[in-house]
Amino acid sequence: MSERPLGAQMSHMLKARGVDTIFGIPGVHNVEMYRGIEEAGITHVLARHEQGAGFMADGYARATGRAGVAYVITGPGLLNAMTAMGQAWSDSVSLLVLSSCLDETASVQGQLHQMRDQEGAAATVSDWSHTARDADGAFALIDRALGEFATLRKRTKHIQVPIAVLGASAAPAPDAMPLAQPPVAASVEREAALLAAAKRPLFIFGGGAAGASDAARALLQRTGAASFTTYAGRGIAAPDDPLHFGALLARPDSAQVIASADLVLAIGTELAEVDLWRDVLGHEAPMIRVDIDPQSLNDRHRAAYPVLSDAGGFMGRLLAACDAPPATGWSGAEVREARAKWRAEIDAERPGILPICDALRAALPDDTMVYSDMTQFAYAAKEIWPMARPGHWHHPFGFGTLGYALPAAIGGAVGRPGLPTVAIAGDYGFQYSLQELGTAVELGLPLPILLWDNGKLKEIEDAMVRSQIAPNAVVARNPDFLALARAYGAGAVAPATLSDLQEAVGAALKADGPTVILMTPALSASS
């Protein structure tokens, strides 16, 4: 390939490295990045806001396991995307953001989109943020980002290129080098011996183990161990496993269950605040901690046996080393009793939501991928909705932003054409990114958008009441959501009963565009 502007060479490089879709918004400062997109054979998805582009790339990455790439402009374009960048950093997502930047900022003032430190701003929500000063630097940084996605904990990366450098002539990128493999524990003999000696072993699986569910399920069956998952780890353990406690670590008295184990194995999980909603896990027995991130192995949970390893590689070796008969210390009865108790607690805390969850789950295919927002409906659902397979429910767990579900679901649907995808949002959070309905309509995505409308910020109202604060600023006037959806060209329906809801979801999955399905608390009382 002959020399051409660097922006075009970058697009060809990304295509050669397996990138087939880019989400973004063109502007006067990044037009050179768009010169080579169509020629390279990359699909570009036009978002309505750079935050939406970032969330779409995030949703695409979670759905496909490949890098999600976003193109944004200098200054406000990058700043608009930073919420999505922070979310992907927090939730271990392979998000690569490529932006333009000004050629000179120290000696020149008053330029369009000028910032004091654009690279530094992006670094606050990224694993790293660097400026490529020439073509070789741009190529090296792109390869570094893609290589680290494959071998290290997945975190947001940001690369910015000066406008003049993007437009300057450059030779093609070099051929790709083979990617390294993630680290795998050299030996698991110690861990296998501890597991063989335990009578009440307990596994806790996080999202980092989602790619190794077959090994996880085989380990549970072979050892007779009980298990929990984090919210991000749902589906790793079989939902019908009689010794699986579910994604209920946040229930306060789950700590008592954990304290009764004589060995805890935490695999691929931060055991973060948003997993537990308490300071400590509650274990009294030794803990084997397996993680690809060294920082997680040295945190407040103080693992007795830290193991720096990819979850799948570790569990595969552990499974091969386990030949002891199953432990007998756990019973299906105690697990059923705990799960029933916790479900009743959730139903009491957030009344009316669980019957709707049950109806929706019955109506959706097992391979449905769900993207949810920060809303009470999702808070309840992610505790009690069993998943048949891992990596099929995505939520803004760590950073906890509003407005995630719709654009992320668009990215997920683009990454999985022909497979069912659903968005779940609350009435307030939906308004953070509802303009992305335009993108979903343009793409003709058969996307059900389940909109939970309780007319207020109910979670915040409840928090104020618990704190003995008179509820304030928790009710906002909502638009006519159905009319708004139709104005964008989307379908819109407000089911009156649970059976109507199931029919609406089925129809939306077969439609030629997105459908907003309005759900209210009154649905739970319907027949």
Side-chain angles (χ1 to χ4, degrees):
M1 188 183 296
S2 60
E3 289 198 357
R4 64 189 65 202
L6 174 59
Q9 300 288 30
M10 289 166 57
S11 293
H12 281 276
M13 178 188 187
L14 289 169
K15 178 65 174 180
R17 303 301 195 261
V19 174
D20 58 15
T21 306
I22 290 172
F23 303 87
I25 300 176
V28 294
H29 280 181
N30 70 348
V31 290
E32 287 295 342
M33 294 164 62
Y34 282 77
R35 183 184 296 275
I37 289 180
E38 290 187 2
E39 182 184 63
I42 294 176
T43 298
H44 181 270
V45 175
L46 177 63
R48 298 304 190 264
H49 189 279
E50 287 92 354
Q51 184 180 107
F55 285 146
M56 289 177 196
D58 171 302
Y60 175 94
R62 298 194 200 209
T64 64
R66 302 191 295 273
V69 180
Y71 275 6
V72 299
I73 61 163
T74 49
L78 179 64
L79 288 179
N80 284 341
M82 280 177 58
T83 297
M85 293 166 68
Q87 189 62 65
W89 180 88
S90 179
D91 285 352
S92 302
V93 177
S94 301
L95 174 61
L96 175 58
V97 176
L98 294 160
S99 76
S100 55
C101 65
L102 297 176
D103 301 316
E104 171 59 35
T105 59
S107 63
V108 182
Q109 299 298 309
Q111 300 176 83
L112 178 66
H113 303 333
Q114 186 162 6
M115 290 178 62
R116 293 179 62 191
D117 185 1
Q118 180 173 298
E119 179 184 297
T124 64
V125 288
S126 302
D127 186 26
W128 48 257
S129 171
H130 293 306
T131 302
R133 299 295 178 185
D134 55 26
D136 288 342
F139 299 150
L141 286 172
I142 290 172
D143 270 339
R144 175 184 169 187
L146 298 177
E148 290 181 6
F149 288 151
T151 57
L152 304 177
R153 182 176 181 181
K154 296 172 173 58
R155 297 281 209 182
T156 304
K157 323 286 185 185
H158 168 244
I159 302 168
Q160 61 180 23
V161 186
I163 296 167
V165 175
L166 282 170
S169 182
D175 292 338
M177 297 291 289
L179 294 176
Q181 296 299 309
V184 177
S187 172
V188 297
E189 292 181 5
R190 176 187 63 182
E191 291 74 22
L194 289 166
L195 187 55
K199 295 301 182 186
R200 282 175 67 89
L202 176 69
F203 283 84
I204 300 175
F205 299 111
S213 62
D214 288 346
R217 293 183 183 193
L219 269 172
L220 293 174
Q221 185 175 21
R222 184 168 298 181
T223 62
S227 63
F228 281 91
T229 68
T230 65
Y231 301 131
R234 283 188 300 156
I236 293 175
D240 58 353
D241 182 340
L243 298 182
H244 181 48
F245 284 96
L248 291 154
L249 287 169
R251 293 292 103 194
D253 55 356
S254 72
Q256 298 172 19
V257 174
I258 294 165
S260 74
D262 60 359
L263 179 68
V264 175
L265 298 93
I267 301 180
T269 171
E270 278 187 303
L271 297 176
E273 177 190 53
V274 294
D275 296 320
L276 307 176
W277 294 110
R278 58 179 180 267
D279 291 335
V280 297
L281 178 63
H283 64 294
E284 298 178 1
M287 177 192 286
I288 297 171
R289 188 81 180 271
V290 181
D291 208 283
I292 200 171
D293 184 353
Q295 186 172 346
S296 294
L297 300 176
N298 295 282
D299 64 9
R300 68 187 188 279
H301 297 295
R302 302 187 65 81
Y305 304 100
V307 180
L308 181 66
S309 179
D310 169 68
F314 172 84
M315 286 195 289
R317 293 192 176 189
L318 185 61
L319 181 62
C322 285
D323 56 7
T328 57
W330 297 100
S331 74
E334 68 177 305
V335 176
R336 288 192 302 273
E337 182 179 346
R339 293 193 62 156
K341 176 179 180 292
W342 293 333
R343 180 183 170 97
E345 287 178 0
I346 297 163
D347 197 24
E349 291 166 1
R350 298 188 171 100
I353 293 178
L354 300 199
I356 302 175
C357 289
D358 292 340
L360 286 170
R361 187 169 64 86
L364 291 170
D366 281 347
D367 60 347
T368 300
M369 189 163 283
V370 179
Y371 292 84
S372 58
D373 218 323
M374 300 293 284
T375 170
Q376 278 199 328
F377 191 92
Y379 303 155
K382 62 192 176 68
E383 289 200 272
I384 60 89
W385 189 313
M387 300 298 295
R389 59 196 73 189
H392 277 64
W393 189 301
H394 306 292
H395 184 82
F397 296 111
F399 210 41
T401 179
L402 288 163
Y404 171 80
L406 173 57
I410 291 171
V414 168
R416 302 170 72 241
L419 296 174
T421 304
V422 170
I424 298 175
D427 56 319
Y428 199 81
F430 180 62
Q431 295 179 73
Y432 275 54
S433 56
L434 63 83
Q435 68 274 6
E436 304 303 345
L437 271 173
T439 301
V441 170
E442 278 182 353
L443 296 174
L445 299 176
L447 178 65
I449 302 163
L450 299 165
L451 181 55
W452 176 247
D453 184 3
N454 57 12
K456 60 178 65 177
L457 289 161
K458 187 66 168 63
E459 186 74 7
I460 310 307
E461 181 183 65
D462 291 349
M464 287 180 169
V465 170
R466 287 194 301 271
S467 301
Q468 298 184 332
I469 298 171
N472 185 23
V474 293
V475 177
R477 175 173 176 170
N478 282 336
D480 182 336
F481 287 114
L482 300 183
L484 192 59
R486 295 186 186 107
Y488 272 99
V493 62
T497 67
L498 293 177
S499 59
D500 290 343
L501 173 64
Q502 292 175 319
E503 291 179 9
V505 169
L509 289 172
K510 300 174 183 176
D512 57 3
T515 305
V516 172
I517 302 174
L518 194 67
M519 306 185 302
T520 68
L523 265 177
S524 63
S526 67
S527 58

